Amino acid sequence: MKKLLSAALAAALALALTACSSTPAETPARTSDELATILTTAINENSEGGADVITASALTAATDWLTENKGMSAEDAAALVEEYGNVSYEERETFLTGKGLTADEINAFQEAEATARNAQMIFETLGLSSEDFEAGALSISLINVRAYGMAIIKPAEGKEETVTAALQNFIAGQQQSFENYLQDQYAIAQAAKCETVNGYVVMAMGENSDAIFQAISDALNANA
């Protein structure tokens, strides 16, 4: 009987140790849209200005539209978008009509293409390419009238230093721009934050950036 009890206790102890040493499930990586929600909420709740947020997925808005609405392969869609970019502005509607798009489809495609082009300019302003990240959300002003830039980026494998350096260089550029121009904006740029939070590189530069950064950090660490 004692042997049976000892065996039972040993088995229970083994199960308890296994449970204690088991690795918790990893938190699923957030999508660009989820990061956009986090960023938009953090900005809207901690600043007076509204957030104009663009996601990494916007980079492929034009090709995505073609694959989803015209049944094209990703390769054919990318080729058409590239060809469209080389057509003069006056001939673009004729070009798309020749590709079989209706008037409504032309409007929808051109809206998607403009979104992708704007996203490309923003990411290029930061010195980033699509190979550098898995997901991301940004709020960047292309008109340099204030020290402003917010970002949450999930770097691609091995690209954390690249992403961090790009955002730090953006901040340094803003600091240089306003150092002898607008002292209040220079102070904002000086107070900017750029840190890695739970695997995401976060940049917060703007009015009340400390509170915005904290709100983003809290959201990224939730359920981690």
Side-chain angles (χ1 to χ4, degrees):
M1 188 67 175
K2 288 184 178 179
K3 289 182 178 180
L4 288 174
L5 287 173
S6 297
L9 287 171
L13 180 59
L15 287 172
L17 290 173
T18 300
C20 290
S21 61
S22 61
T23 303
E26 252 184 55
T27 303
R30 291 174 171 86
T31 65
S32 292
D33 287 341
E34 289 171 333
L35 295 180
T37 298
I38 291 173
L39 186 58
T40 300
T41 301
I43 295 171
N44 287 343
E45 290 183 352
N46 294 283
S47 66
E48 294 181 1
D52 185 11
V53 174
I54 193 163
T55 65
S57 55
L59 289 166
T60 58
T63 54
D64 289 346
W65 188 91
L66 290 169
T67 58
E68 293 168 8
N69 294 279
K70 301 300 290 182
M72 299 178 69
S73 68
E75 293 77 11
D76 289 344
L80 189 150
V81 171
E82 183 177 359
E83 191 177 356
Y84 173 82
N86 293 324
V87 174
S88 67
Y89 181 79
E90 294 78 12
E91 298 175 341
R92 286 184 170 180
E93 286 195 19
T94 301
F95 168 79
L96 293 174
T97 300
K99 294 295 183 180
L101 274 69
T102 66
D104 287 343
E105 288 176 333
I106 288 173
N107 289 334
F109 169 78
Q110 288 182 327
E111 183 177 338
E113 193 275 338
T115 296
R117 191 160 14 94
N118 183 54
Q120 186 67 39
M121 285 191 292
I122 290 175
F123 278 94
E124 286 179 352
T125 297
L126 292 174
L128 292 171
S129 67
S130 57
E131 290 78 20
D132 295 326
F133 49 85
E134 296 178 3
L138 309 170
S139 181
I140 304 290
S141 175
L142 293 176
I143 302 174
N144 199 23
V145 295
R146 60 178 178 141
Y148 180 79
M150 306 287 174
I152 310 173
I153 297 177
K154 176 64 174 176
E157 186 175 354
K159 292 288 188 175
E160 183 176 336
E161 287 187 12
T162 299
V163 171
T164 301
L167 298 185
Q168 288 175 338
N169 287 338
F170 178 74
I171 292 171
Q174 293 286 290
Q175 292 170 347
Q176 186 175 12
S177 294
F178 291 108
E179 185 174 7
N180 299 309
Y181 177 38
L182 295 172
Q183 287 303 304
D184 60 332
Q185 297 305 306
Y186 177 62
I188 288 173
Q190 285 286 89
K193 291 181 176 293
C194 181
E195 298 177 17
T196 299
V197 179
N198 197 23
Y200 297 83
V201 182
V202 178
M203 175 179 70
M205 175 171 57
E207 294 181 0
N208 211 19
S209 59
D210 284 346
I212 293 172
F213 181 87
Q214 188 60 55
I216 293 171
S217 296
D218 291 344
L220 291 177
N221 284 319
N223 301 320

